[in-house]
RNA sequence: GGGCGCUUAGCUCAGUUGGGAGAGCACCAGCUCGACAAGCUGGGGGUCACUGGUUCGAGCCCAGUAGCGCCCACCA
């Protein structure tokens, strides 16, 4: 009887005003409250067992990106859980100076002012970078706070702060004394864009189509020519040999003779080397030791000279000859081909697609060239780090990443640690004439010049887990919190960073830097591409926080997280937001019904109470198991369903129906808030603060404990209720019967009655003639309704068909001797029970159809 | 060239030892009943990439094929 609402527009009020949860106003309050309470602060003198994590330090250039948001959410979940569980928890906070990246950003800013770093000079430039760091370095820390991360902000470190510089110097000097660090003229990956050497790990291969040119090298004695193939014709100017396969009959007679290098006139030998593939090109390989890694090795084997024709400026050197010096390699290539053509020495060309190294940093094509650099030999450092993973003292999750790590470590090569940059740890080596000095401080005496190069950023990052704790001093923090417990990261820096931390940890602390390495997903753009600013595919986590709140973002990211790459899913963030709202509203209801925190269940617990206690116990148990295995998505999922399904959908409905007590409602809610808190700290903290009887911060609450024991009987009984209620709801929906219309049933469970508006039939036999729904445990009828025989028969026939299908299926299985003999007994029994039940149902249905028809 | 991973509902993804395929979103239908319309209830929707094998039984184990992705690698 709903009269159409009419009247003045004012009366048409929208939905009733509700007290909504607003993350934008609530969340910042708690950041401050946690900070004031010292929630992230770690005390090395505490008696509690330690639990520490070192944050992968974000670059000072940076803003929080989605990968940071996920990684730091994971770490905060771990840290908050352990803090609640009674560990003295330290989450080490800090940022990385990120040599190349930061220098590039500042250079770019200078360029906008029309200044180059060279014009500014080194000292002034470095000052500018420090200013930049002061201005922007704090931004990402602020963003971590906004995400809810409970780092120990009071102990913030920077990879170039005073103490850290001491640690780096100490390590360099020590490794040099041990003979691991040495200086050598060696072929390195030269980045002409950066004008610096870069390490193997900073090189990426890209596919490029070049032209393979065939060039004739005349034999010196004039008896013919040898044709070589190359994609880099300009490098011929630096050739010092031609190599052929040792077993290649075409060229056997030429080995030991010489050819005259065109355009240059140098007489160079024809040599035999295993490296040459007779099948490729002409089977003759021009050898340019100064600009090709293979040729470099060939030259070593054959003791050939090296002629560098490309310089560190990326241009042809004087050794390339007057006609080419100063040109870019591309220009030189063109001119070389032209000149060779003029001399009639070209023997054809073809397009050739191959992979070519590019700088990961500047994007420039890497120019391999021989250069004087500092290297660190890794073989001795690697040994204990390999053993650690083999023996399980450092465990990767998922374990396959341990194999990837080991494969790389076992083939480890020297690490080029010097960079021709200005921003970074300057190499602690001084020169005076032929003398050199390696030390923590400048040597005594006049005329010493410090090595201008700086160390690879990862050299300092490798010390992070112990340098941040005060090493080389034996500080209380170091004693207490090293080794850390877990390193959380994506897989892309396993070699660059993780492996090097393990090596340095063993070398300088004699202990692994962390017990676990938890590798999480890389978050891709929704279309599967990389999230990147330049591609325009980036999604800013701060935008998501602004729109949906940090809790929703955290939950969504955890749901997405996995062991493989995942596409960013807005829907998961929405799911998080819904859980936030649900929790909020649940608390409102519980408060309204007199629920309290820390409530002692007064009277006898009801069935519903026993059931929710058991469900909460189950959720807590499972969450602990997931947490221990770094399974964050299942953890988030079970939290969602514990709150949504068990507590809100079922338990609170029972509470409203008077079948549960406010005491248990409060007690269970308290534990669910504690359970969800590490995932969604803000809304849970806010809810906690509103719950009568609650005091103190949820962040400092003990870990969730079940408000009652596991209760199989209660769970089984409620499963029956759920089955009945679901059947009734489905039936009502199908028949268009309002939930408000009361129906009768033969022997419904009392809770079914309460939830589904069902009353026991006064006269069960009377009901039998108008049974409209049958579940495993009850028959349902509608009072006052005459059964429409036709429609009812049709419906019953449908049910009959289903029952017969199920029966046939069960019988088929039971007829299978293999199944009956070999399957576990409980499965066979279950199948027998099923067969019996459906057989009975078939009879009942057939009888009812007969009665109606 | 070597290695690793992926392929499950329209979309994004779960699926722990092999024992009747799940979630969120989307879609359809019905609901304002005092926690929640940022909601509730119900529903439809899948040849688990393909082929073969092992097994009483395979999304799951094995072999192979195809497509996609990632990592490592010194063939001009």
């Amino acid at each position: 009887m709903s009269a159409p609402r009419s009247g003045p527009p004012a009366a048409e009020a929208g939905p009733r005003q509700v007290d909504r949860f607003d993350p934008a106003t609530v969340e910042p309050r708690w950041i401050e409250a946690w900070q004031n309470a010292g929630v992230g602060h770690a005390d090395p003198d505490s008696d509690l067992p330690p639990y520490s994590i070192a944050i992968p330090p974000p670059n000072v250039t940076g803003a929080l990106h989605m990968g940071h948001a996920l990684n730091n959410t994971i770490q905060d979940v771990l840290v908050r859980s352990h803090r609640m569980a009674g560990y003295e928890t330290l989450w080490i906070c800090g940022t990385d100076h990120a040599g190349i990246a930061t220098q590039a950003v500042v250079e770019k800013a200078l360029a906008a002012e029309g200044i180059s770093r060279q014009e500014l000079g080194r000292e002034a430039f470095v000052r500018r970078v420090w200013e930049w760091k002061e201005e922007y370095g704090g931004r990402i820390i602020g963003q971590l706070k906004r995400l809810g991360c409970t780092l120990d902000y009071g102990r913030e470190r920077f990879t170039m702060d005073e103490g850290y510089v001491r640690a780096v110097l100490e390590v360099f000097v020590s490794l040099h004394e041990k003979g691991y660090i040495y200086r050598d003229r060696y072929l390195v990956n030269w980045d002409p864009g950066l004008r610096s050497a870069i390490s193997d790990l900073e090189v990426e291969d890209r596919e490029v189509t070049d032209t393979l040119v065939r060039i004739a090298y005349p034999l010196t004695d004039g008896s013919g020519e040898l044709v070589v193939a190359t994609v880099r014709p300009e490098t011929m100017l630096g050739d010092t040999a031609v190599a052929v396969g040792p077993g290649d009959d075409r060229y056997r007679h030429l080995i030991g003779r010489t050819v005259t290098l065109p355009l240059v006139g140098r007489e160079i030998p024809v040599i035999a080397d295993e490296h040459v593939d007779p099948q490729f090109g002409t089977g003759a390989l021009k050898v340019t030791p100064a600009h090709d890694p293979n040729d470099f090795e060939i030259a070593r084997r054959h003791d050939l000279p090296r002629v560098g024709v490309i310089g560190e400026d990326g241009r042809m050197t004087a050794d390339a000859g007057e006609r080419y010096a100063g040109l870019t390699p591309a220009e030189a290539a063109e001119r070389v081909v032209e000149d060779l053509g003029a001399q009639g020495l070209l023997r054809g060309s073809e397009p050739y697609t191959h992979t070519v190294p590019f700088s990961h940093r500047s994007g420039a094509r890497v120019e391999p060239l021989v250069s004087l650099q500092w290297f660190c030999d890794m073989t001795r450092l690697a040994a204990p780090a390999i053993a650690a993973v083999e023996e399980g003292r450092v465990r990767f999750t998922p374990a396959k990443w341990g194999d990837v790590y080991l494969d790389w470590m076992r083939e480890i090569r020297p690490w080029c640690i010097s960079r021709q940059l200005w921003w970074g740890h300057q190499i602690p080596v001084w020169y005076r004439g032929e003398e050199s000095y390696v030390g923590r401080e400048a040597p005594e005496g006049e005329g010493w010049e410090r090595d201008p190069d700086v160390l690879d950023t990862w050299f300092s990052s490798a010390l992070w887990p112990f340098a941040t704790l005060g090493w080389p001093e034996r500080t209380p923090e170091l004693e207490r919190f090293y080794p850390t417990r877990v390193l959380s990261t994506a897989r892309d820096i396993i070699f660059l960073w993780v492996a090097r931390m393990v090596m340095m940890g063993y070398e300088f602390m004699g202990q692994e830097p962390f017990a676990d390495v938890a590798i999480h997903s890389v978050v891709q753009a929704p279309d599967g591409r990389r999230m990147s600013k330049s591609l325009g595919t980036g999604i800013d986590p701060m935008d998501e926080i602004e729109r949906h709140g940090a809790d929703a973002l955290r939950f969504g990211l955890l749901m997405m997280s996995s062991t493989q790459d995942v596409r960013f899913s807005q829907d998961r963030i929405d799911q998080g937001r819904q859980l936030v709202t649900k929790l909020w509203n649940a608390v409102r209801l519980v408060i309204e019904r007199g629920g309290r925190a820390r409530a002692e269940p007064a009277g006898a617990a009801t069935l519903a109470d026993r059931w929710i206690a058991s469900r909460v116990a189950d959720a807590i148990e499972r969450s602990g198991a997931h947490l221990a295995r770094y399974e964050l998505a299942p953890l988030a999922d079970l939290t969602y369903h514990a709150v949504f399904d068990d507590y809100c959908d079922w338990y609170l409905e029972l509470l409203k129906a008077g079948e549960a007590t406010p005491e248990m409602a409060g007690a269970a809610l308290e534990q669910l808030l504690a359970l969800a808190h590490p995932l969604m700290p803000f809304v849970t903290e806010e809810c906690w603060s509103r719950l009568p009887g609650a005091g103190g911060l949820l962040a400092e609450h003990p870990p969730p404990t079940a408000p009652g024991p596991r209760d199989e009987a209660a769970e089984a009984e409620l499963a029956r209720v759920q089955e009945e209620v679901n059947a009734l709801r489905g039936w009502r929906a199908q028949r268009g019967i309002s939930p408000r219309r009361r129906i009768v049933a033969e022997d419904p469970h009392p809770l079914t009655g309460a939830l589904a508006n069902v009353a026991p039939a006064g006269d069960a036999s009377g009901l039998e003639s108008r049974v409209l729904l049958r579940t495993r445990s009850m028959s349902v009828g509608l009072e006052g309704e005459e059964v429409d025989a036709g429609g009812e028969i049709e419906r019953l026939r449908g049910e009959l068909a289903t029952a017969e299908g199920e029966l046939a299926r069960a019988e088929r299985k039971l007829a299978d001797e293999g199944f009956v003999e070999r399957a576990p007994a409980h499965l066979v029994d279950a199948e027998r029970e099923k067969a019996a039940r459906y057989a009975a149902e078939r009879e009942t249905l057939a009888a009812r159809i007969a009665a109606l028809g």
Side-chain angles (χ1 to χ4, degrees), chain A residues 54-57 96 201 458 460-465 487-489 493-502 514:
Chain A
I55 190 175
D96 195 306
L201 291 172
W458 298 104
S460 52
S461 316
L463 321 180
W464 186 250
L487 180 87
S488 172
T489 182
I493 50 176
I494 290 175
F495 307 145
L496 279 168
W497 191 44
V498 179
R500 287 162 177 171
M501 279 192 286
V502 178
F514 30 73

Side-chain angles (χ1 to χ4, degrees), chain A residues 242-248 250-251 271-280 282-287 294-295 298 301-302:
Chain A
V242 175
V244 298
D248 193 333
R250 291 173 296 176
Y251 302 122
I271 59 172
D273 194 280
E274 290 291 352
H275 169 74
V276 179
D277 174 6
Q279 307 301 317
F280 188 89
T282 61
L285 170 71
K286 59 187 277 304
V287 180
N294 297 309
D295 296 6
I298 293 172
R301 290 196 282 272
H302 297 271

Side-chain angles (χ1 to χ4, degrees), chain A residues 9 28 46 59 69 120 207 251 321 503 527 530 544 563 618 687 695 700 711 756-757 815 844:
Chain A
S46 152
N59 295 351
L120 208 55
E207 202 158 82
Y251 302 122
M503 290 188 273
D527 62 5
R530 255 185 97 73
E544 295 298 316
T563 56
D618 177 61
C687 287
E700 295 172 334
D711 189 333
N757 197 17
T844 312

Side-chain angles (χ1 to χ4, degrees), chain A residues 361-400:
Chain A
R361 278 293 166 200
S362 71
R365 186 164 172 162
V366 166
E367 203 60 73
L369 52 82
V370 174
S371 170
L372 186 58
Q373 300 287 344
W374 287 95
F375 294 88
C376 184
D377 183 76
M378 305 304 285
T379 46
R380 301 271 288 281
L381 292 169
I386 289 170
V389 171
E390 285 174 340
E391 291 162 16
R393 276 171 283 131
V394 173
R395 288 172 303 272
F396 280 79
T397 306
K400 67 174 178 184

Side-chain angles (χ1 to χ4, degrees), chain A residues 3 56 70 109 119 232 309 393 395 420 467 498 505-506 552 766 795 846:
Chain A
L70 171 59
E119 283 166 346
R232 303 282 315 266
V309 292
R393 276 171 283 131
R395 288 172 303 272
Q420 288 64 56
V498 179
Y506 277 105
R795 195 180 64 76

Side-chain angles (χ1 to χ4, degrees), chain A residues 567-649:
Chain A
R567 298 174 184 206
F568 181 81
S569 164
Q570 190 65 53
D571 288 341
R572 293 299 185 192
I573 310 295
D574 289 339
Q575 194 184 348
R577 193 177 35 73
Q578 286 174 354
L579 182 57
V580 167
T581 306
K582 202 66 174 175
L583 272 172
W584 175 248
N585 286 309
V587 169
R588 291 175 53 219
L589 174 67
V590 171
I591 293 170
E592 188 185 296
R593 300 289 168 134
R596 299 174 56 80
R598 304 197 168 108
E600 290 297 322
T606 66
L607 169 62
D609 286 348
R610 288 192 292 128
W611 176 79
I612 194 63
S614 184
R615 297 299 292 165
V616 171
D618 177 61
I620 291 168
E621 192 183 312
R622 280 155 55 223
S623 87
H626 286 308
L627 202 60
R629 289 188 222 118
Y630 304 106
E631 296 165 345
L632 282 302
L635 174 65
D637 187 64
L638 86 85
T639 304
Y640 178 90
H641 289 291
V643 171
F644 239 92
D645 301 352
D646 292 342
Y647 191 75
C648 294
D649 286 357

